[in-house]
Amino acid sequence: AEPSLPPVAPVALDSPAALLLVLQQLVIGLALGFAVRVAFAAVEFAGELITLVGSDAWTLEGLAFVHNPGDHRAIVRTDGGVLTARRCTFIAAEAHAAGSGLAAHGDAALALDDCEFSAVCDGLEVMAQACAEVRNCRFMDNSHYGVEVGFDARLIASSSLFAENEMCGIGL
């Protein structure tokens, strides 16, 4: 098989053409880096847009949510309705970011299976009469609690790992 491109002529390292080639490669690298950053920003933005309010039922499956550094809000928050999450990851872009991975308030009901909460303030926050059922999840290296439960909220947890959370695995 014949090559489809003609051979490239050698360029002397001390010539202006070499400098132009280096600049060309830098521009290509910056453009690729920017394109990848835009793709990651789209995923982050989608996570920030998920604010669940009302009586709807939502399902999240196989998604990764990255917490924005310096943001004190939860990655995903629901104030009502039913949220099911399977094989999702809630993680901070920087270690021990403020804010929760997932927050449920009001009459929200959560069903979480095989999810990971890592390096955020509280992995899961269940407050104000919300109810969460957690199975096969991992709450690791969060700066406060793996799960914080309060204000008449309910938690049912089974077969889950709570490890190396600063204050404790479950805060009541």
Side-chain angles (χ1 to χ4, degrees):
E2 292 288 324
S4 58
L5 295 174
V8 178
V11 178
L13 293 178
D14 60 350
S15 69
L19 179 61
L20 288 176
L21 284 174
V22 168
L23 290 175
Q24 175 193 36
Q25 293 303 307
L26 283 172
V27 168
I28 291 170
L30 289 171
L32 285 172
F34 180 73
V36 170
R37 180 63 191 126
V38 167
F40 278 105
V43 172
E44 288 178 36
F45 183 66
E48 290 175 10
L49 284 180
I50 297 177
T51 299
L52 309 171
V53 179
S55 60
D56 294 330
W58 300 79
T59 300
L60 307 173
E61 190 153 351
L63 299 174
F65 297 91
V66 180
H67 196 278
N68 186 15
D71 192 347
H72 297 281
R73 297 173 296 171
I75 298 172
V76 176
R77 177 187 167 123
T78 179
D79 292 309
V82 178
L83 172 65
T84 302
R86 290 182 204 94
R87 294 183 316 278
C88 291
T89 301
F90 300 85
I91 191 165
E94 293 180 358
H96 303 295
S100 301
L102 176 59
H105 294 231
D107 62 348
L110 302 178
L112 307 176
D113 187 24
D114 194 24
C115 293
E116 180 175 334
F117 299 83
S118 180
V120 291
C121 183
D122 297 318
L124 172 63
E125 179 182 294
V126 185
M127 299 287 172
Q129 301 164 343
C131 178
E133 184 175 349
V134 176
R135 291 183 307 267
N136 304 314
C137 292
R138 293 158 307 285
F139 299 88
M140 301 176 298
D141 195 34
N142 296 296
S143 61
H144 284 135
Y145 303 107
V147 178
E148 182 179 10
V149 182
F151 305 117
D152 298 324
R154 293 167 296 168
L155 173 68
I156 302 165
S158 63
S159 303
S160 295
L161 172 67
F162 298 87
E164 298 182 20
N165 297 293
E166 293 282 326
M167 296 182 81
C168 66
I170 300 175
L172 302 173

